[in-house]
Amino acid sequence: MTDSTVISVTNLVKKFGSFTANDNLSFEVYEGEIFGFLGANGAGKTTALRILSGLLTPTSGEVIVAGYNAKKDPEKIKKSIGYMCQKFSLYPDLSARENIMLYGGIYGMPKVLIKKRTEELFEKLNFREYGNRMIAELPLGLKQKLAFSVAVFHEPKIVFLDEPTGGVDPITRRQFWEMIYETADRGITVFVTTHYMDEAEYCDRISIMNEGRIVALDTPEGLKKKYNAKSVEEVFVRIARPVNNQPHPPAPSHR
Amino acid sequence: MKRFWGFVKKEFLHIFRDFRTMIIIFVIPAAEILLFGFVVSTDLKNARVAFLDLSGDEITRQLSEKICSSGFFRKSEDLLSFNDIDRELRKNKIKAVIVFEENFGSKLIGEGKAVMSIIADGSEPNMASLVTNYASAIVADFNNRLIQTSGSVNILVQPEVRMFYNPSLKSHFMFVPGVITIIMTLVCALMTSITITREKEFGTMEVLLVSPLKPIQIILGKVIPYFILSIADAILILILSWFVFGLPIKGSIILLLAELMLYILMSLSIGIMISTISKTMQQAIFIALVGMLLPTILLSGFIFPLENMPKGYDWFSALFPPRYFIVVIKNIMIKGTGFLYVWKETLILLFFTVTSIWLSIRNFKVRLQ
């Protein structure tokens, strides 16, 4: 892990009408880091993730991703990131090979390179026998791994994972995280949102969002020490739950 | 550009691998053409007829009054010469022209016999046969009364029936334009709206939007295959109806294809519009079926003549584009008319196209919730 910054967010605000989804966020993510983005549903995680990936433009504040400004150059950001969403993002009626070919092509990779990397990938995943099968026929765990491999296939600087392990059994989740580690070791920054608190423990650093704000940001160890908790889950419950159970008050414009 | 074509190719793969899609695109059109070759019956109310009264005497006035007061017909106008007949029929406003020969009244009284013609628009065979049957019946009734009042047995109005545009009154001609319209609506509006919402449901749309592909490329990539297949489909229907029913294309094939492309473009943009307002495939299917397919079948004048509809429905049907397209292709294929006779409908279709493209762009949410 080096100290060069790949994501830099300063005073980010995103409003939908009168509702403030992201209230003055500021944080940095470093190259090769696994950055966990936690928060209850509706805390503003997804909005922040969409701004970082160029899908939404911020209302105000500065967002720099992979060296590009999210307001001015969202198209350039799109070329340097990978994305995997909570829903399953491969086409079930195309084979593994065809899916890879499609996404590789969309990211402008030359055919020869796509073919070469496909072979390497299948070798690594022991996937060769499945290569020409339709995605719909594959077990969920394999699909998940493949979806992740496709998201980093074009060697992006950053890969965004939006709740990537939803509905997967613990063993597959474990294997999935091994892939994430390996990817981070290659220097690809991993930005992951998750519900699972045990997964948060695997991250290098985590941020916890509540009501549109970042209420905590540190290493899992650091947070546990600060809140005198045994696990990240305890930290999360202490910070996020009490407010979350009450009806939403109107979001203040500034604190 | 290379990115884009890879994406188009993928869309073709989706289509060719899904046998249900293949059935909708290729089997249903053929089946419908063959099925609809047999007629659905309709009845007659207030059909507009024009009169060419070359005699202009008391008896022709009585007879035309009798025809118009029957409730089946309504007089639209008086024509002045034979040349007007074709022109008026092509305007699509009237269903038939009734012609009284010169000196009709004096011939009837003097010679006991006079001739009138009922010239119907054979491009709508159901309507044409109804019109001529009803008109002939009214004339027969007129004859009976004439015999009673005059006491003479040898007095007779002879109606001659003639069909314009489709002299042998082949009824399946009428259905070909209707089926083309239905299929184009089905394939374009329904299938595009399904294919786009499917990407939303699978979550692949999100991945595509995050990718360097531009939204317009995504939409075009999804639409181009359907555009190509729809044209192939229309040609398939035309060829089939030519071989099976011997239906010729009387007008310009180029004009016909151009109008087809316009209608396909319009249906596609309506399909895109539907997909921008629906979140799930079910929703898209529902909107496309109820909003597009039902009006195409029920309100386009394809099965149920527009003139028989209550006033409200008539206005309601004006909101749906298929009705105009049916007029356009019927005119071009069966009557062989040129662009001058269909420019109004073309303009309306163009308006629908532009509006739905505009609405889709406005609705196209890069934000997917």
Side-chain angles (χ1 to χ4, degrees):
Chain A
M1 192 164 85
T2 58
D3 268 0
S4 66
T5 312
V6 285
I7 299 176
S8 152
V9 176
T10 328
N11 301 327
L12 164 66
V13 175
K14 177 70 190 180
K15 289 185 180 177
F16 296 107
S18 61
F19 173 70
T20 309
N22 287 164
D23 189 3
N24 213 16
L25 305 185
S26 295
F27 61 91
E28 286 185 332
V29 180
Y30 308 115
E31 194 177 332
E33 174 175 49
I34 301 174
F35 189 84
F37 210 53
L38 278 63
N41 284 332
K45 279 179 302 178
T46 310
T47 307
L49 192 73
R50 287 192 172 148
I51 291 172
L52 291 177
S53 54
L55 270 186
L56 285 176
T57 48
T59 311
S60 69
E62 197 180 51
V63 177
I64 309 279
V65 179
Y68 302 109
N69 189 308
K71 234 175 190 169
K72 290 176 204 144
D73 288 324
E75 296 310 313
K76 284 187 181 150
I77 291 180
K78 285 180 177 178
K79 279 180 196 159
S80 24
I81 61 171
Y83 183 85
M84 179 184 167
C85 64
Q86 55 200 53
K87 282 185 213 155
F88 188 60
S89 53
L90 298 175
Y91 293 95
D93 54 342
L94 301 185
S95 73
R97 254 176 233 283
E98 282 162 344
N99 268 291
I100 294 174
M101 201 50 131
L102 169 72
Y103 282 114
I106 286 176
Y107 280 92
M109 292 169 65
K111 255 190 191 162
V112 190
L113 183 63
I114 298 177
K115 284 201 176 123
K116 189 174 142 255
R117 282 215 199 139
T118 308
E119 294 313 313
E120 287 168 9
L121 178 69
F122 285 178
E123 196 68 47
K124 199 174 81 187
L125 294 179
N126 266 329
F127 208 77
R128 196 162 301 283
E129 51 179 323
Y130 299 111
N132 292 325
R133 293 240 205 119
M134 298 300 138
I135 294 294
E137 299 168 20
L138 302 182
L140 186 65
L142 270 185
K143 285 192 221 175
Q144 205 93 27
K145 280 185 195 168
L146 192 67
F148 179 71
S149 307
V150 167
V152 294
F153 194 72
H154 57 291
E155 295 285 322
K157 279 196 178 148
I158 308 158
V159 61
F160 291 95
L161 309 174
D162 190 3
E163 289 172 17
T165 51
V168 179
D169 64 86
I171 295 168
T172 315
R173 258 168 65 195
R174 183 71 232 181
Q175 289 173 338
F176 191 77
W177 272 89
E178 273 162 22
M179 289 184 80
I180 292 183
Y181 276 125
E182 202 182 309
T183 307
D185 283 345
R186 290 207 322 255
I188 297 177
T189 308
V190 180
F191 188 104
V192 55
T193 73
T194 181
H195 277 321
Y196 298 104
M197 291 305 139
D198 58 325
E199 286 189 347
E201 309 263 1
Y202 304 150
C203 298
D204 292 323
R205 284 193 307 147
I206 50 175
S207 82
I208 299 180
M209 276 192 86
N210 192 28
E211 304 270 310
R213 298 197 201 99
I214 292 183
V215 286
L217 197 168
D218 204 344
T219 59
E221 292 310 314
L223 283 177
K224 278 188 265 184
K225 217 177 262 174
K226 187 178 167 194
Y227 288 90
N228 196 18
K230 281 193 210 77
S231 65
V232 175
E233 181 155 13
E234 240 184 282
V235 175
F236 185 76
V237 169
R238 266 181 215 176
I239 300 174
R241 282 292 149 78
V243 195
N244 197 45
N245 281 345
Q246 284 155 19
H248 281 248
S253 60
H254 199 76
R255 74 165 130 166
Chain B
M1 236 18 213
K2 232 171 68 187
R3 299 167 190 218
F4 177 65
W5 290 115
F7 187 64
V8 173
K9 187 182 150 201
K10 160 228 149 202
E11 200 56 38
F12 271 117
L13 285 180
H14 284 321
I15 296 171
F16 291 141
R17 285 202 182 145
D18 184 22
F19 82 101
R20 283 166 300 185
T21 310
M22 291 300 282
I23 286 177
I24 290 181
I25 296 182
F26 291 111
V27 180
I28 289 184
E32 273 198 30
I33 272 292
L34 299 175
L35 279 175
F36 276 125
F38 308 97
V39 189
V40 181
S41 76
T42 49
D43 52 11
L44 193 67
K45 212 170 113 189
N46 278 331
R48 292 163 71 119
V49 286
F51 288 87
L52 173 57
D53 192 345
L54 297 172
S55 174
D57 54 47
E58 184 54 30
I59 293 184
T60 61
R61 211 164 303 131
Q62 274 178 23
L63 186 49
S64 45
E65 205 144 283
K66 186 175 172 64
I67 291 174
C68 293
S69 61
S70 63
F72 303 118
F73 299 103
R74 193 151 57 92
K75 185 176 186 170
S76 75
E77 58 200 302
D78 286 309
L79 306 181
L80 296 173
S81 77
F82 281 106
N83 298 334
D84 293 342
I85 298 177
D86 186 53
R87 206 194 61 219
E88 286 303 314
L89 278 177
R90 274 170 200 266
K91 279 188 190 161
N92 272 322
K93 292 222 175 87
I94 55 170
K95 298 296 162 199
V97 177
I98 291 175
V99 186
F100 298 109
E101 67 171 332
E102 273 174 62
N103 305 321
F104 186 91
S106 51
K107 272 192 186 167
L108 189 63
I109 290 162
E111 301 167 25
K113 192 168 104 178
V115 181
M116 64 181 287
S117 308
I118 302 164
I119 301 169
D121 177 355
S123 66
E124 292 178 62
N126 286 331
M127 184 50 82
S129 58
L130 283 170
V131 164
T132 51
N133 288 341
Y134 277 76
S136 307
I138 294 170
V139 172
D141 187 51
F142 184 82
N143 281 337
N144 283 339
R145 298 213 175 170
L146 213 59
I147 292 165
Q148 279 167 16
T149 48
S150 68
S152 161
V153 201
N154 293 326
I155 199 161
L156 195 61
V157 177
Q158 289 184 321
E160 276 179 359
V161 171
R162 284 177 59 196
M163 297 291 164
F164 270 23
Y165 314 120
N166 180 8
S168 55
L169 212 60
K170 288 188 179 160
S171 54
H172 36 252
F173 281 12
M174 161 67 186
F175 286 89
V176 173
V179 170
I180 290 183
T181 313
I182 287 189
I183 295 302
M184 295 301 113
T185 312
L186 188 73
V187 172
C188 301
L190 183 64
M191 302 308 282
T192 10
S193 60
I194 290 177
T195 173
I196 295 177
T197 42
R198 184 169 62 174
E199 299 251 4
K200 280 197 207 173
E201 252 179 67
F202 286 173
T204 44
M205 187 54 103
E206 227 171 309
V207 177
L208 290 177
L209 286 171
V210 175
S211 82
L213 277 180
K214 294 190 178 63
I216 184 79
Q217 287 179 311
I218 298 173
I219 296 296
L220 278 181
K222 302 218 67 105
V223 156
I224 286 176
Y226 286 98
F227 187 79
I228 295 171
L229 288 176
S230 306
I231 291 175
D233 229 8
I235 292 171
L236 172 85
I237 295 176
L238 292 176
I239 291 176
L240 204 61
S241 45
W242 186 52
F243 275 113
V244 181
F245 300 116
L247 170 67
I249 299 167
K250 284 223 178 131
S252 147
I253 291 185
I254 292 169
L255 179 64
L256 183 66
L257 285 179
E259 295 278 358
L260 266 171
M261 284 183 199
L262 173 66
Y263 190 70
I264 290 170
L265 194 67
M266 190 211 69
S267 305
L268 289 174
S269 40
I270 288 180
I272 296 170
M273 190 177 73
I274 292 172
S275 72
T276 61
I277 54 177
S278 40
K279 281 182 190 153
T280 60
M281 276 192 270
Q282 276 89 344
Q283 230 175 358
I285 292 171
F286 183 77
I287 297 176
L289 285 183
V290 175
M292 286 293 292
L293 205 57
L294 278 185
T296 306
I297 296 172
L298 301 176
L299 294 173
S300 64
F302 156 42
I303 294 177
F304 309 109
L306 293 170
E307 350 347 80
N308 289 355
M309 287 178 193
K311 250 290 159 274
Y313 286 92
D314 189 22
W315 281 99
F316 189 54
S317 89
L319 299 176
F320 297 95
R323 133 177 206 179
Y324 306 103
F325 184 61
I326 286 194
V327 171
V328 170
I329 42 177
K330 221 169 6 180
N331 267 313
I332 299 173
M333 285 178 64
I334 298 173
K335 293 190 195 169
T337 52
F339 184 66
L340 281 179
Y341 290 89
V342 294
W343 69 269
K344 261 189 238 157
E345 282 79 8
T346 310
L347 215 59
I348 293 173
L349 291 178
L350 207 60
F351 167 76
F352 275 108
T353 314
V354 173
T355 313
S356 46
I357 289 179
W358 177 71
L359 282 174
S360 322
I361 292 174
R362 229 191 50 169
N363 285 347
F364 189 80
K365 288 177 195 136
V366 171
R367 180 160 69 103
L368 295 155
Q369 302 238 307

